[in-house]
Amino acid sequence: MLLHTAHRPWPLPSRAYVMHQSWLDLLFVHWPIPCDTLRALIPAKFTLDTWDGTGWLGIVPFHMKNIRLRGLPPIPFTSAFPELNVRTYVTYQGKPGVYFFSLDARHRLAVEMARRLFHLSYLYAHIEVEHDPDGGIVYNSRRCDPRGKEALFAASYRPVSEVRNSLPGSHEHWLTERYCLYSTDKAGDVYRCDIHHVKWPLQTAEASITINSMAASHGIVLPDTPPLLHFARKLDVLIWGLERT
C-alpha cells in the first residue's frame, strides 16, 4: 500500500504510521446542507469545504476489522466492531480533510481511547450488522451514550454497479478521496490525523433508510431530496498518530 501514493494530494508523512484498519461494507450517504448551518457547528479555525458553493453532510455506516498497532497482531476482542459516522468537510492550512460531528461505535474501550487520544466525539452505540444472501447489508444502530443525544439509524443497502475509481475533479472524488481528519481539544488547538489507502473502490449503491435521526441529533435538518449513495466493499487503511498543527 505504501508504494501506491501517486493519487495522494500531498506526500506521506515522514514518520511511521501507527495503526492498520480494514473498513468493510461501507456506505457513503451524502446530502447538501446550507453552508450557514454547517459553519455554525464547526470550529472557527476551519474553513468549511464546499462543492459548487454548498456544504455537504455525510452519514457513513460500516464495520471494521484487523485493527492493530504497527508491527503487532490484532488484539483479541478489540480488533473488530461496527461504526457509524456523521461528518462534513473542512480545509485547514491548505489541506482538505474530514471533520466529524460524531462517531458511534459498538466498543466501549475503543470509544474511550479514541476520545482521549484523538479528541474525537466517539459515542457508544448498540449496532447490529447483518449480510443478506444477495450481498446486501442490514444495519441498525441505537446510540446508548449519555454524552450525546439519542440517535437511531436503520437501513438496508447494496451495491448496484461495477467497481470504479472516482475521477479527479468529480463530485464523488471530492466527497471520498480525503487523506486526513481534523479535531480540536478543549483549549481549541487543532489536530490533524493523516491516513493513507489506495483509491476508493467505489460502487453506485441503493439503500432503504427507514430510521435516521443522526443528523437531527446535531440540530441539522436533512433536505427532502434523495441522498447521493456510494458503496465500498473493503478498504485497508493506514493511520498516523495525531499531530498538533
Side-chain angles (χ1 to χ4, degrees), residues 50-133:
T50 63
W51 179 264
D52 284 344
T54 300
W56 286 80
L57 182 85
I59 295 177
V60 185
F62 65 108
H63 61 103
M64 294 190 286
K65 71 174 185 179
N66 298 326
I67 303 169
R68 63 179 187 270
L69 295 177
R70 181 186 175 96
L72 297 177
I75 301 173
F77 309 111
T78 64
S79 63
F81 54 86
E83 184 169 312
L84 175 62
N85 299 337
V86 182
R87 59 192 250 177
T88 193
Y89 304 104
V90 300
T91 298
Y92 185 71
Q93 295 181 345
K95 291 187 175 181
V98 178
Y99 180 80
F100 292 101
F101 294 116
S102 60
L103 308 93
D104 289 30
R106 196 189 67 192
H107 197 295
R108 293 187 186 276
L109 178 59
V111 165
E112 299 308 320
M113 290 181 62
R115 290 180 70 94
R116 180 182 298 270
L117 298 178
F118 289 90
H119 304 296
L120 292 170
S121 299
Y122 265 89
L123 298 163
Y124 178 74
H126 180 73
I127 305 175
E128 295 291 340
V129 183
E130 300 178 359
H131 293 76
D132 68 30

Side-chain angles (χ1 to χ4, degrees), residues 153-207:
F153 182 84
S156 59
Y157 56 91
R158 69 184 66 251
V160 293
S161 75
E162 297 298 320
V163 175
R164 65 180 182 275
N165 295 136
S166 62
L167 295 176
S170 68
H171 192 191
E172 64 183 11
H173 187 277
W174 182 88
L175 288 169
T176 59
E177 294 291 340
R178 291 176 177 262
Y179 291 86
C180 71
L181 62 89
Y182 290 104
S183 62
T184 57
D185 62 15
K186 293 180 179 179
D189 292 328
V190 174
Y191 294 81
R192 186 180 70 246
C193 175
D194 284 287
I195 68 171
H196 177 63
H197 51 74
V198 299
K199 294 180 181 179
W200 276 97
L202 295 177
Q203 295 173 266
T204 302
E206 64 179 18

Side-chain angles (χ1 to χ4, degrees), residues 34-48:
C35 293
D36 290 349
T37 298
L38 296 175
R39 176 69 267 175
L41 297 174
I42 64 174
K45 291 182 179 180
F46 297 130
T47 298
L48 179 66

